[in-house]
Amino acid sequence: MMLRRKTLAMLAALSLAAGAAACGDTDDPSPTPLPDAGEDVGPDAELDVEPDPDVEEDVGPDADVDPEPVVAPTPGDLVITEVMKQPTEVSAVEGQWVELFNTSDAELELEGCLLGSSELDEGVLIAESLTVVSGGYLTLAASANAGFDADLVLSGLRLSEAEGSVTLECDGETITEVAYDAGESYPAVAGASLSRDPAFNGATDDSGDYWCAATAAYNGADLGTPGAANPSCDGGSGDTGSAQIADLLANGPGDDGKMIEGVTVTYVRPLVGSESAGFFVQASAGGPALFVAVAEGEVMPVEVNDVVDFRVLTVDSFGSSTWADSFDSLNVNAGAGNREALITDLTGAADLITDLDSYAHRLVRAELTITGELETFAGAGHQAYSVSNGAVGGDDDVKLRMPTELRESLGLAVGCDVDVTATPLWRFDATAQFMAYNSSELSVENCPALSVVSATATSITTVQLVLSRALGPINPDGSEFTIAGLTVTAVEANGSIVTLTTNEQTSAADYTVELADTLTDIFGDTIPADASASFTGFEELDVAISEVMARFKSGTGDPGEYIEIYNPGTEAFDLGGCVLGKVKLNGSSATEVTIDEGVSVPAGGYALFASSEDAAAGLSVAQVLVGFGLNNEAMIYDLTCAGETLDEVEVPYSSSLSLGRSAQKDLNGLSSPNPSGSSWCFTPDDAANEYTVFAGDSGSKYGTPGAANVACP
């Protein structure tokens, strides 16, 4: 039963009075008289009390209750639970804030209180009504750009980013205060708030032991839980590891290195091209995460789901990604982690690009759709497609990146739906890169039907087919491939490349190869009934343009540019008097140069023609092409001898490629004609293809001038 407050107070007073009468005065030895017979006594006795006309007899389950009053705080009613002193996503002037927690049983009014700090001569006045309920949180921010909606913006608030203090005063009394140091006992992690362990919210003192660095992201890069309960500072929860990763990424390892403790190995990346093998670690689903490189030649020291501690000695950065480049003091608790609990689903994540700092290197899954054509070079040994996660992407800001061999085995194409499961998210500047290194990490469906990209006679008895994706099972006797006028006697498939063996072709004759509609692709889908391609019978080449370095630096006629010519024959080929020509695709800027008498290409070898004396100084050059600078754009190059065009090739241009990489013909197609630059690629930028052009040249250059070409992906 509920009674109004006045009634309760009056009954309490009567009860005290009755108790005093029953007990009597302790100085009076006379016994207390017994009640007369018939008096109303006992637990059901009625009290003879005159009703108070000011008291309403409002009782029962529906009785009205006077609202609890809003009161001013007294010392200990509020406690500072979070302090963001050093944000990184925005400036300190904009991003600093303080969080308060109401430990009392009443709703508290803070109007007229002052929030002060060691950086201020006077506290900042709370000049408007501001209340916080019992058990509630209140946030006070330096600006409206703090990265969340604060309860009140206090213009002029400024906190020390190193050692300092924060104080709340009301009516001249200190309600709560925190005096933090610069990292000796209190956390000091750039981009992470000082977070009080909720187990100590009721403590009357303060200690650095009550605090830890926040680990949950709230505005991209910065960590904290403004306006919400803090997580425990228990080191076993993973909070320490997250804070240590955040500190390493923000501030580096320092001279003595930095420990990373209690983190789970989420993924092991193999060595591909020139990109280091290594492992990814993470402590909480919200990140941050870290890639740890393992030196080439060393055994991978961890496995997925190991929980590890280690000290990072050095870090490296490229394309806005930062990773641990060397480490020691590794301790492994094998299989003790749960990486499944750390996966973030980025399907439909509209903040994928805007919060890329937060997502980078974390373990993710996503449902993607391929929206752009294949990017044949996406770092050494890798290729990529532009993709969309349903909310962002569709251009070049979201990619699906994988090793070339994996991509070829899958035969992906624009329109394919690809589900990526449990792989790390890489980044290159503002581009998010979903990664996969094993086919089991990808699920593919809804791809366009298989097509025959090209057919080329690579010798007088072989034809090479390039398909849009790999085939399923095939008969090795070649019976599922038909060429009118020829007999196919054998077939060999290597991913999307299929090589047919035939009887001798007629040189330059027109042929068409047709694929039986009983064949299926790698996904088990039947290929179209009209899958076919045309080619011409094998023509023995005299010589062929085999490599062009046109983007050496950044302008026409750069030092170090060259054209390479290959001789597939068994005798040297005389180039004296032959003419090298170039022209833009629109027919403009046509230029020619005549090759000197006495210049030849050795049998099965190469002749190199450089654009400057500088290049000739570092390379074995047959002739310097004075006045024949190459262009940093798509061009057509040709070689004419005695009025007959022996070879012609269109060399493409890609603005996404770095300077200093040549375009070259596939090693396996050097003896074939050059129709529109087919079977060409840009030289992979790995150490095997790096060369020095001339003394004083800066920057790495990649090509195979005067040497065997690479096999294009």
Side-chain angles (χ1 to χ4, degrees), residues 467-711:
L467 309 180
S468 59
R469 74 176 60 90
L471 290 170
I474 58 176
N475 291 324
D477 62 5
S479 58
E480 294 161 309
F481 300 83
T482 303
I483 304 175
L486 294 174
T487 301
V488 179
T489 58
V491 60
E492 182 178 348
N494 182 13
S496 61
I497 307 298
V498 176
T499 302
L500 308 178
T501 301
T502 69
N503 59 323
E504 287 193 8
Q505 306 154 25
T506 300
S507 179
D510 292 330
Y511 295 103
T512 298
V513 57
E514 297 179 345
L515 282 62
D517 58 11
T518 56
L519 290 168
T520 60
D521 66 13
I522 192 174
F523 305 129
D525 296 327
T526 302
I527 70 171
D530 60 351
S532 62
S534 298
F535 66 98
T536 57
F538 183 75
E539 298 178 76
E540 193 74 49
L541 286 178
D542 292 318
V543 288
I545 298 172
S546 54
E547 188 172 1
V548 178
M549 169 64 88
R551 301 187 70 242
F552 184 80
K553 288 190 176 178
S554 60
T556 301
D558 292 333
E561 295 175 342
Y562 60 81
I563 295 178
E564 179 189 82
I565 294 177
Y566 171 69
N567 176 9
T570 58
E571 296 181 1
F573 187 89
D574 183 10
L575 289 173
C578 294
V579 175
L580 274 172
K582 64 168 186 169
V583 63
K584 293 184 178 180
L585 300 188
N586 62 7
S588 65
S589 302
T591 307
E592 293 182 346
V593 64
T594 300
I595 298 175
D596 294 341
E597 294 295 334
V599 174
S600 64
V601 192
Y606 303 85
L608 201 61
F609 298 85
S611 64
S612 74
E613 293 287 352
D614 284 332
L619 302 173
S620 179
V621 174
Q623 181 179 335
V624 174
L625 303 177
V626 178
F628 194 76
L630 308 187
N631 298 65
N632 290 8
E633 56 187 287
M635 298 287 292
I636 296 173
Y637 297 91
D638 63 71
L639 175 65
T640 301
C641 297
E644 179 185 358
T645 299
L646 300 185
D647 197 23
E648 179 180 275
V649 61
E650 177 185 319
V651 176
Y653 167 77
S654 175
S655 60
S656 64
L657 295 176
S658 57
L659 296 171
R661 292 173 55 200
S662 72
Q664 60 175 286
K665 191 174 185 180
D666 190 327
L667 173 66
N668 298 314
L670 284 175
S671 298
S672 302
N674 267 320
S676 301
S678 63
S679 302
W680 280 64
C681 60
F682 289 97
T683 305
D685 58 348
D686 54 43
N689 303 318
E690 188 171 0
Y691 70 96
T692 300
V693 181
F694 55 86
D697 174 41
S698 60
S700 297
K701 311 301 176 189
Y702 300 94
T704 57
N709 288 20
V710 300

Side-chain angles (χ1 to χ4, degrees), residues 291-583:
F291 174 65
V292 184
V294 174
E296 186 172 355
E298 291 189 6
V299 176
M300 185 63 62
V302 298
E303 296 181 359
V304 168
N305 273 332
D306 288 349
V307 174
V308 296
D309 309 326
F310 55 92
R311 181 175 62 166
V312 177
L313 302 176
T314 60
V315 297
D316 199 359
S317 297
F318 182 72
S320 301
S321 279
T322 298
W323 61 89
D325 194 46
S326 63
F327 64 96
D328 66 6
S329 306
L330 176 67
N331 178 61
V332 179
N333 186 359
N338 178 18
R339 79 166 190 159
E340 296 300 316
L342 302 176
I343 299 174
T344 299
D345 192 338
L346 293 181
T347 304
D351 62 349
L352 173 58
I353 302 303
T354 56
D355 282 354
L356 191 52
D357 285 340
S358 171
Y359 289 129
H361 299 179
R362 282 162 56 180
L363 194 66
V364 301
R365 66 163 58 95
E367 297 176 8
L368 308 172
T369 298
I370 296 178
T371 58
E373 297 294 340
L374 175 66
E375 185 177 320
T376 57
F377 183 84
H382 293 78
Q383 296 182 339
Y385 291 95
S386 293
V387 296
S388 169
N389 72 343
V392 294
D395 44 33
D396 289 336
D397 56 356
V398 184
K399 302 280 189 181
L400 174 59
R401 181 175 182 262
M402 66 192 73
T404 299
E405 290 184 3
L406 176 60
R407 199 281 307 168
E408 290 176 342
S409 70
L410 294 172
L412 301 175
V414 174
C416 290
D417 292 329
V418 183
D419 292 352
V420 180
T421 59
T423 65
L425 184 77
W426 197 256
R427 72 171 301 174
F428 184 77
D429 293 331
T431 299
Q433 295 180 329
F434 291 92
M435 300 195 306
Y437 286 86
N438 191 295
S439 60
S440 64
E441 298 162 353
L442 301 174
S443 175
V444 183
E445 57 185 14
N446 299 328
C447 285
L450 177 145
S451 63
V452 183
V453 178
S454 66
T456 306
T458 53
S459 78
I460 199 167
T461 58
T462 56
V463 178
Q464 185 181 84
L465 306 183
V466 178
L467 309 180
S468 59
R469 74 176 60 90
L471 290 170
I474 58 176
N475 291 324
D477 62 5
S479 58
E480 294 161 309
F481 300 83
T482 303
I483 304 175
L486 294 174
T487 301
V488 179
T489 58
V491 60
E492 182 178 348
N494 182 13
S496 61
I497 307 298
V498 176
T499 302
L500 308 178
T501 301
T502 69
N503 59 323
E504 287 193 8
Q505 306 154 25
T506 300
S507 179
D510 292 330
Y511 295 103
T512 298
V513 57
E514 297 179 345
L515 282 62
D517 58 11
T518 56
L519 290 168
T520 60
D521 66 13
I522 192 174
F523 305 129
D525 296 327
T526 302
I527 70 171
D530 60 351
S532 62
S534 298
F535 66 98
T536 57
F538 183 75
E539 298 178 76
E540 193 74 49
L541 286 178
D542 292 318
V543 288
I545 298 172
S546 54
E547 188 172 1
V548 178
M549 169 64 88
R551 301 187 70 242
F552 184 80
K553 288 190 176 178
S554 60
T556 301
D558 292 333
E561 295 175 342
Y562 60 81
I563 295 178
E564 179 189 82
I565 294 177
Y566 171 69
N567 176 9
T570 58
E571 296 181 1
F573 187 89
D574 183 10
L575 289 173
C578 294
V579 175
L580 274 172
K582 64 168 186 169
V583 63

Side-chain angles (χ1 to χ4, degrees), residues 239-315:
D239 293 344
T240 296
S242 293
Q244 290 170 331
I245 292 174
D247 180 31
L248 176 73
L249 295 176
N251 303 308
D255 295 335
D256 300 323
K258 286 185 177 177
M259 288 299 299
I260 306 294
E261 300 169 292
V263 292
T264 296
V265 177
T266 60
Y267 194 88
V268 173
R269 188 178 83 176
L271 173 67
V272 176
S274 59
E275 296 188 6
S276 299
F279 55 94
F280 292 79
V281 295
Q282 194 171 329
S284 61
L290 178 69
F291 174 65
V292 184
V294 174
E296 186 172 355
E298 291 189 6
V299 176
M300 185 63 62
V302 298
E303 296 181 359
V304 168
N305 273 332
D306 288 349
V307 174
V308 296
D309 309 326
F310 55 92
R311 181 175 62 166
V312 177
L313 302 176
T314 60
V315 297

Side-chain angles (χ1 to χ4, degrees), residues 167-243:
T167 306
L168 179 71
E169 292 186 2
C170 301
D171 293 331
E173 289 188 292
T174 297
I175 306 302
T176 180
E177 181 178 18
V178 172
Y180 52 86
D181 55 36
E184 291 78 12
S185 60
Y186 285 77
V189 178
S193 71
L194 281 70
S195 177
R196 187 184 182 99
D197 191 318
F200 299 101
N201 282 353
T204 57
D205 62 342
D206 194 49
S207 166
D209 294 336
Y210 302 166
W211 297 79
C212 57
T215 60
Y218 66 89
N219 71 338
D222 291 333
L223 308 177
T225 57
N230 295 347
S232 168
C233 287
D234 177 13
S237 68
D239 293 344
T240 296
S242 293

Side-chain angles (χ1 to χ4, degrees), residues 1-60:
M1 178 182 296
M2 301 181 67
L3 301 175
R4 293 179 65 90
R5 195 171 291 134
K6 282 188 177 180
T7 304
L8 290 171
M10 182 179 68
L11 288 176
L14 289 173
S15 177
L16 290 172
C23 295
D25 191 335
T26 55
D27 293 332
D28 186 356
S30 59
T32 302
L34 295 173
D36 294 335
E39 288 189 16
D40 196 2
V41 296
D44 298 324
E46 295 182 0
L47 295 176
D48 295 328
V49 179
E50 291 296 326
D52 187 338
D54 295 328
V55 177
E56 298 178 6
E57 297 296 331
D58 191 5
V59 296

